[in-house]
Amino acid sequence: MFIGRILCRCLYLLTSFVGSKLLIVSGQETNYEPQKVELKLRDGRTNFEGRVDILVDGVHGTICDDYWKDASTDVVCRQLGFSGGEAYYYGGHFPRGTGKIWLDSLRCLGNETKIQDCPHEPWGDSDCTHDEDIGVRCKSSKTPNWNSVQIDVTYGSGQENQDTPQPTTEPIPLRDIKVRLRGKNTPHPKSEGYVEVYHNNKWTSICADSWDLDDSRVVCGQLGFSQALPIKYSEVRVSSKHRLYHVFLTNVSCVGIESTLQECKCYAISSAKMCKSKMAAVARCERGNFVEDARGKRKSGEAAYLSDEISKNTAVRVRSGASFGRGRIEVLYNGIWGTICGDRWDMRAANVACREMGFGTAKEIFLSAKEFGEGSGPVWLDQVTCHGDESSIMDCPVHNWTDGHASTSSFCIHAYDAGVACHIPEQRGKLKIRAVGGRLDMEGRIEVQHGRKWGSVCSEGWDIHAAGVACRQLGLGFAIQNLQEVTYFGGLNVPIIMSGVKCRGDELSLNQCKHDGWNNVKCRDYAIAGVVCTHKLPDLVADIRLIESSAYLEDRPLPMLQCAMEEHCVSSSAYDIIPGSRDYAYGRRRLLRFSSSIYNRGTTDFRPDVHKSFWEWHQCHQHHHSMEVFASYDIVDSDGNKTAEGHKASFCLEDSHCDPGVSQRYKCENYGDQGISVNCADEYKHSIDCQWIDITDMPHGNYLFRLHVNPQFRVAESDFKNNEVICNLSFNGYQAEMWQCRFAEDD
């Protein structure tokens, strides 16, 4: 009996590794090959975690956790359409499942496309209970699962007189297929022409049989354009030799909501003579704001890139992404920007959002804040379930959105903020750029090419915004440092050919920034610009409600302001009063006091820009200054003139309080490390010195209060646009009121 068991076990191991699946019933082996296997995650807090439930030929069940490893998690998550796995949980972490335990001892290698391909015990043969049901957490990023896409494929017989394709069971691999529009005499980026796909190392056309506007819409979306326009073949200006020179696909059938052409049903043909219409498929796309001249620069009076237009013209935007069209999704409701919960966030909803912003379709989605950091404000939308053809994300059915009124009762928190990466048009005219001489791939001196000549960039005026454009153009994420005079990276024999670079920070290429011109370079010797790039940065965001609710006036005697005066936290007129005089003894300063709480909603800690060995000790307050200015406070009149000012020296940067589940790491006591952890806040209460603006000399009237965090951009952030807060302020001489606080970018 013992020998027989060993033989049976050896037989199982042999057959499992060659792909045979056996069902053992009453001691006898029977071959059993499921016709249909489906996976779902159940009872998790989000749709990317939970117990792994499996439906085998319509029979519900679970999977045992025996021998489970990371490789099996990756296979399950990829089969579900996620980009991979993050963790697995043995039975008991999620509620027990029900039904049959279909799989036991699953031992995936990690390169399988589905769990059916992994070695395992015979289907249905398990000694486990539901206390051992496996659970997983997948990566929040999600891409279309091309392995599950159904593609109808046929080949021609090779006979010239055959008009229709003949079906075959052989699949055509259409994964990651490239698409372009072939035409001439049209502005860049190309938005109309004959549709071509890249197949077998060459560009091939598509037969126009059954081609319609829905097919064009998908092509336009994949190319980065939001919509398709009707077109007549006679209107397309293109050489006839490109029409059906090489042909690959025919009878393409798209619904119009797909992200890319490879999701559509299609047939393959081997000869242009099999195309009934004798015409190639044509598409014309809505250009929107993507307009370039012949040199790849924006046309006068038109916005070439949508970053400035999104918040003005639409109710949805992306934030905190390292590249254009990529980031956390935010929506505007009742004048307040909020986020979307990643629960049930899918490609269809992402397509609607991307098109609404003027981009193309989505190429990747993110189901949590891990990639872009947490947003602020309410989580406006939860469980968005778009069909895919809506004109606005607000038109999609959602949970907790009734009669057009948003609800904040969702269980979602900002940790599950949804994100997206949209298709954008390919840009011509980008400057060729490279990072040279660095010790790592993420750093180096910047060299650019003009004509056939490569040269360095002058570091005079080279700031974090310009460095950010360079890192983005290099595909290396954000800039964490803008390096000056990087002779240690070499290049002393390389000419400096670009100088005076001034960028806003949202350009796609350095040549879209202002500079001195290629024939007017002005630079000192050895002033060579460099960068250090990163994929993670902090993001400081002020609590605007706290500022508004905590403001009040205080008249404070001058003798009690000695330490504050040493830190220049009062108006200049206070220094005209002679210490020890009667005016000094009885003098008072009128202070607008308020509390502030500065959160770090980025993806890595915020640290002072200099090492603690360079911090300055302030004897009066008994603390170190880690940054010269951490936040500036100003009051301006209706003409923009500054009428009062204040600043806050960074005498202490610490985790005053953190979100639930986040540990405090930074404390200022005993010369401790200073900083702000991710999802923690540095709070300055109204009672602290310098947490005010001296308005003693300010006339009565209406003003704007302005708070700007990290105003000198000394520390790199993933998003500088949310660093400034403005509030309405009225002052009648004895009372001040602050209201309608908002981020300056939303004003």
Side-chain angles (χ1 to χ4, degrees):
M1 178 68 70
F2 177 74
I3 296 175
R5 289 179 180 174
I6 293 178
L7 291 174
C8 289
R9 185 63 176 170
C10 290
L11 177 62
Y12 156 68
L13 290 174
L14 177 63
T15 56
S16 64
F17 276 96
V18 298
S20 175
K21 301 173 180 62
L22 304 175
L23 181 63
I24 300 178
V25 181
S26 302
Q28 295 184 358
E29 298 173 352
T30 52
N31 292 324
Y32 179 66
E33 186 75 30
Q35 298 300 310
K36 187 175 183 181
V37 176
E38 298 181 59
L39 298 179
K40 289 186 180 295
L41 299 182
R42 300 289 191 187
D43 295 326
R45 291 187 304 168
T46 69
N47 62 343
F48 53 91
E49 68 174 15
R51 182 186 65 253
V52 182
D53 281 14
I54 184 170
L55 195 68
V56 180
D57 290 339
V59 180
H60 175 265
T62 60
I63 302 176
C64 182
D65 60 17
D66 287 353
Y67 300 105
W68 194 274
K69 298 297 180 185
D70 289 332
S72 298
T73 303
D74 284 335
V75 175
V76 166
C77 289
R78 290 200 305 270
Q79 189 169 351
L80 286 165
F82 298 95
S83 58
E86 280 195 350
Y88 62 87
Y89 307 95
Y90 290 123
H93 186 87
F94 298 108
R96 299 169 77 251
T98 59
K100 191 175 186 63
I101 299 177
W102 272 111
L103 288 176
D104 189 6
S105 300
L106 192 71
R107 304 187 188 198
C108 298
L109 300 177
N111 57 356
E112 298 88 351
T113 58
K114 50 186 180 295
I115 61 171
Q116 298 95 298
D117 300 332
C118 301
H120 56 76
E121 296 284 352
W123 289 89
D125 181 22
S126 174
D127 57 359
C128 300
T129 68
H130 284 298
D131 291 327
E132 301 171 86
D133 289 340
I134 191 67
V136 301
R137 184 176 77 245
C138 300
K139 291 181 179 179
S140 60
S141 59
K142 192 170 184 180
T143 55
N145 184 3
W146 305 123
N147 296 317
S148 64
V149 175
Q150 300 297 316
I151 305 175
D152 295 334
V153 181
T154 65
Y155 288 105
S157 67
Q159 299 177 9
E160 295 183 357
N161 59 351
Q162 184 167 344
D163 293 329
T164 59
Q166 298 300 313
T168 178
T169 57
E170 293 295 326
I172 291 292
L174 292 182
R175 185 173 181 175
D176 299 328
I177 193 170
K178 296 180 181 179
V179 180
R180 73 178 183 185
L181 296 178
R182 184 73 171 182
K184 65 178 183 180
N185 299 326
T186 57
H188 274 265
K190 291 289 185 181
S191 60
E192 68 175 71
Y194 289 92
V195 183
E196 294 187 345
V197 297
Y198 197 69
H199 176 65
N200 283 345
N201 298 318
K202 63 183 178 182
W203 287 99
T204 64
S205 58
I206 299 176
C207 174
D209 292 356
S210 79
W211 186 267
D212 58 20
L213 193 60
D214 288 333
D215 306 321
S216 294
R217 188 170 191 261
V218 175
V219 168
C220 290
Q222 186 173 350
L223 291 172
F225 300 103
S226 61
Q227 299 296 334
L229 300 173
I231 190 171
K232 295 180 180 179
Y233 282 83
S234 59
E235 296 176 344
V236 181
R237 300 182 296 275
V238 65
S239 174
S240 60
K241 68 178 181 180
H242 294 302
R243 296 187 179 183
L244 287 175
Y245 185 72
H246 297 291
V247 66
F248 171 44
L249 298 177
T250 188
N251 291 88
V252 175
S253 179
C254 302
V255 178
I257 60 175
E258 297 87 350
S259 298
T260 56
L261 189 64
Q262 53 261 44
E263 297 175 66
C264 304
K265 293 183 178 181
C266 56
Y267 295 85
I269 54 177
S270 58
S271 172
K273 295 182 179 180
M274 300 169 63
C275 179
K276 294 181 179 180
S277 64
K278 306 302 180 185
M279 292 293 294
V282 188
R284 172 181 289 169
C285 307
E286 172 61 57
R287 299 184 64 85
N289 289 305
F290 291 99
V291 180
E292 294 179 357
D293 64 15
R295 296 170 295 173
K297 297 182 179 180
R298 69 175 61 193
K299 286 191 173 182
S300 176
E302 299 188 59
Y305 311 111
L306 291 175
S307 54
D308 295 333
E309 302 300 316
I310 289 173
S311 58
K312 298 178 182 178
N313 300 328
T314 70
V316 60
R317 67 186 183 188
V318 286
R319 298 302 299 267
S320 300
S323 58
F324 196 56
R326 177 186 177 95
R328 178 181 60 250
I329 285 284
E330 295 185 352
V331 293
L332 182 67
Y333 180 77
N334 277 348
I336 299 174
W337 286 98
T339 61
I340 299 177
C341 181
D343 187 21
R344 298 191 183 180
W345 179 250
D346 59 15
M347 294 296 290
R348 290 188 179 185
N351 285 342
V352 173
C354 286
R355 290 185 188 274
E356 184 177 357
M357 290 186 288
F359 301 118
T361 51
K363 57 182 176 182
E364 189 175 6
I365 62 174
F366 304 87
L367 307 180
S368 77
K370 184 176 181 180
E371 181 77 13
F372 307 113
E374 297 185 8
S376 57
V379 180
W380 280 132
L381 300 178
D382 181 17
Q383 298 184 21
V384 181
T385 53
C386 300
H387 178 264
D389 57 357
E390 295 86 353
S391 59
S392 171
I393 196 72
M394 300 297 191
D395 298 333
C396 300
V398 297
H399 181 62
N400 288 333
W401 186 281
T402 307
D403 298 329
H405 297 285
S407 169
T408 57
S409 62
S410 166
F411 82 94
C412 266
I413 58 178
H414 283 299
Y416 302 110
D417 285 341
V420 68
C422 304
H423 286 110
I424 66 170
E426 183 67 25
Q427 302 296 313
R428 188 179 69 170
K430 280 188 179 181
L431 188 69
K432 290 186 178 180
I433 182 175
R434 63 190 182 192
V436 183
R439 298 156 297 181
L440 305 171
D441 292 339
M442 302 294 286
E443 66 180 19
R445 73 177 187 273
I446 294 299
E447 289 188 358
V448 298
Q449 184 182 36
H450 179 62
R452 297 183 178 181
K453 182 179 181 181
W454 282 92
S456 299
V457 177
C458 182
S459 63
E460 295 176 6
W462 180 256
D463 59 16
I464 195 67
H465 301 298
V469 173
C471 286
R472 183 186 308 117
Q473 189 176 354
L474 289 165
L476 299 178
F478 304 101
I480 192 172
Q481 284 184 285
N482 50 302
L483 301 178
Q484 309 283 335
E485 300 188 5
V486 290
T487 54
Y488 45 84
F489 286 154
L492 294 177
N493 58 340
V494 178
I496 296 174
I497 64 173
M498 190 178 193
S499 65
V501 179
K502 294 293 181 183
C503 304
R504 299 184 311 273
D506 59 354
E507 295 88 349
L508 298 182
S509 175
L510 279 180
N511 61 320
Q512 294 170 359
C513 303
K514 294 181 179 179
H515 60 93
D516 292 334
W518 301 108
N519 299 316
N520 190 32
V521 175
K522 305 172 184 177
C523 190
R524 294 180 293 107
D525 293 339
Y526 311 124
I528 302 172
V531 295
V532 178
C533 305
T534 182
H535 292 295
K536 293 185 177 182
L537 281 181
D539 182 19
L540 298 184
V541 185
D543 184 342
I544 58 179
R545 300 295 169 235
L546 178 62
I547 297 171
E548 183 176 306
S549 62
S550 62
Y552 66 97
L553 289 183
E554 179 192 12
D555 287 335
R556 194 169 182 83
L558 261 177
M560 297 179 63
L561 294 173
Q562 180 180 351
C563 288
M565 291 182 70
E566 291 181 13
E567 296 188 23
H568 304 285
C569 296
V570 295
S571 297
S572 57
S573 62
Y575 298 93
D576 296 332
I577 304 175
I578 301 174
S581 66
R582 180 182 179 87
D583 290 339
Y584 185 86
Y586 293 98
R588 309 178 74 84
R589 306 301 295 181
R590 178 153 292 180
L591 308 176
L592 175 64
R593 308 199 69 149
F594 53 92
S595 297
S596 68
S597 187
I598 311 301
Y599 282 87
N600 177 11
R601 294 303 187 187
T603 52
T604 193
D605 296 349
F606 182 94
R607 299 297 306 276
D609 61 319
V610 295
H611 189 267
K612 63 190 306 181
S613 60
F614 295 100
W615 297 350
E616 294 184 7
W617 172 256
H618 193 273
Q619 185 65 33
C620 185
H621 278 145
Q622 295 290 298
H623 58 240
H624 284 89
H625 287 191
S626 59
M627 291 177 64
E628 183 178 353
V629 177
F630 174 65
S632 62
Y633 309 141
D634 301 312
I635 295 177
V636 298
D637 60 22
S638 58
D639 296 325
N641 300 314
K642 188 182 298 184
T643 60
E645 62 181 295
H647 81 283
K648 176 165 56 184
S650 177
F651 50 84
C652 178
L653 280 180
E654 65 178 3
D655 296 332
S656 303
H657 57 83
C658 300
D659 290 349
V662 180
S663 300
Q664 293 175 301
R665 297 180 54 199
Y666 298 105
K667 291 184 177 296
C668 298
E669 297 176 357
N670 302 321
Y671 195 37
D673 290 338
Q674 294 190 24
I676 310 176
S677 300
V678 175
N679 295 327
C680 293
D682 179 31
E683 183 170 326
Y684 294 86
K685 294 185 178 180
H686 56 81
S687 57
I688 297 176
D689 261 4
C690 295
Q691 190 58 39
W692 63 58
I693 296 182
D694 184 351
I695 62 171
T696 305
D697 306 317
M698 189 174 76
H700 307 171
N702 295 319
Y703 301 93
L704 285 179
F705 165 88
R706 183 171 61 193
L707 179 151
H708 199 165
V709 183
N710 193 16
Q712 299 173 344
F713 312 111
R714 297 292 295 272
V715 178
E717 298 184 46
S718 60
D719 190 352
F720 286 117
K721 293 182 179 179
N722 55 10
N723 283 31
E724 187 176 358
V725 174
I726 57 175
C727 306
N728 293 343
L729 172 67
S730 63
F731 174 57
N732 60 12
Y734 59 89
Q735 187 177 18
E737 180 183 3
M738 194 139 57
W739 77 98
Q740 200 176 340
C741 292
R742 66 275 187 193
F743 292 109
E745 63 165 331
D746 300 331
D747 194 36

